[in-house]
Amino acid sequence: SYTMESRARTFNNYIFHLVSPYIVYKENPPRTREINYRALWEKVTGTVFCWLLAHLILEHYMLPKLKLIRTVSLPDLVLDIFPSIVLPTIFAYIVLFLLMFEFWLGALAEALKLEERQFFSDWWNSSSFDEFSRKWNIPIHLFIKKHVYKVMLERFKWTRGSSYFTCFVISAMLHEFVMWAALGQRLRHPPVIFVFQMLQIPLTWLATVISRCSPHLANMFFWFGMIFGPPLITVLYIRL
């Protein structure tokens, strides 16, 4: 029977899930016996350090250039502004990645005594953006796989290709919304991230072909996109 005790336990599980780093609900996740306060301190310190470092990169190496994007000529934009923000953008990207997935989520997992703490895998060794999307954000990947991909595949009897494409579209729309909300852009601005993410579908096919010849070359192709893609998206958002 459904007792007050079971109701309280369910509510407690729900609150625990809200503050946990997991997105897919787990009623009784594996737990450690105690908090490692030294590891927790290291994670918190890393979070603060990465936040300060990201702020430094943005404030001193990116914003002065980004403010000029709307006013400079196209040749100056291509030859001066864009090359000057490539390295700061990829550095900020990596620092923010470490802040979120290594330190912040790690601190939450330690504070909540969670045993499972794999929030990312070796995405830097990816040979395609498809592989990257599965490795760089494991919580989101598992959520979309369970609540979108498997639902389309098992409940609606869609093909694997159609289910995969639907996941890609939903992911692209979510990324676009996050960028729109973060930058405070109006709806009249073109959906740059959505377009770029949808371009990953043919690029993934191309990377697969390259990987058959040389996995190292495919990884270089991936990093070419990682280095020049984010600054290009940033420029297009501000310029258009």
Side-chain angles (χ1 to χ4, degrees), residues 50-65:
C50 285
W51 185 86
L52 293 174
L53 183 57
H55 178 76
L56 176 68
I57 295 172
L58 181 63
E59 190 73 25
H60 293 278
Y61 297 98
M62 293 185 66
L63 281 181
K65 295 292 184 179

Side-chain angles (χ1 to χ4, degrees), residues 189-210:
H189 285 260
V192 178
I193 281 189
F194 182 84
V195 172
F196 269 71
Q197 189 154 344
M198 295 309 295
L199 285 175
Q200 291 181 19
I201 296 178
L203 289 177
T204 295
W205 174 82
L206 179 59
T208 302
V209 174
I210 297 175

Side-chain angles (χ1 to χ4, degrees), residues 61-70 80-81 84-85:
Y61 297 98
M62 293 185 66
L63 281 181
K65 295 292 184 179
L66 296 179
K67 292 177 180 179
L68 301 175
I69 289 178
R70 286 186 178 272
D80 179 29
I81 302 299
S84 67
I85 67 170

Side-chain angles (χ1 to χ4, degrees), residues 57-120:
I57 295 172
L58 181 63
E59 190 73 25
H60 293 278
Y61 297 98
M62 293 185 66
L63 281 181
K65 295 292 184 179
L66 296 179
K67 292 177 180 179
L68 301 175
I69 289 178
R70 286 186 178 272
T71 58
V72 299
S73 63
L74 184 59
D76 288 337
L77 177 63
V78 174
L79 299 176
D80 179 29
I81 302 299
F82 180 76
S84 67
I85 67 170
V86 169
L87 287 180
T89 301
I90 190 62
F91 285 153
Y93 188 95
I94 293 175
V95 169
L96 290 173
F97 168 81
L98 289 173
L99 186 155
M100 175 59 67
F101 295 99
E102 175 65 25
F103 295 114
W104 173 244
L105 294 184
L108 280 178
E110 188 63 57
L112 296 173
K113 299 189 291 186
L114 294 173
E115 189 174 290
E116 184 180 344
R117 303 179 185 186
Q118 187 177 12
F119 305 114
F120 63 93

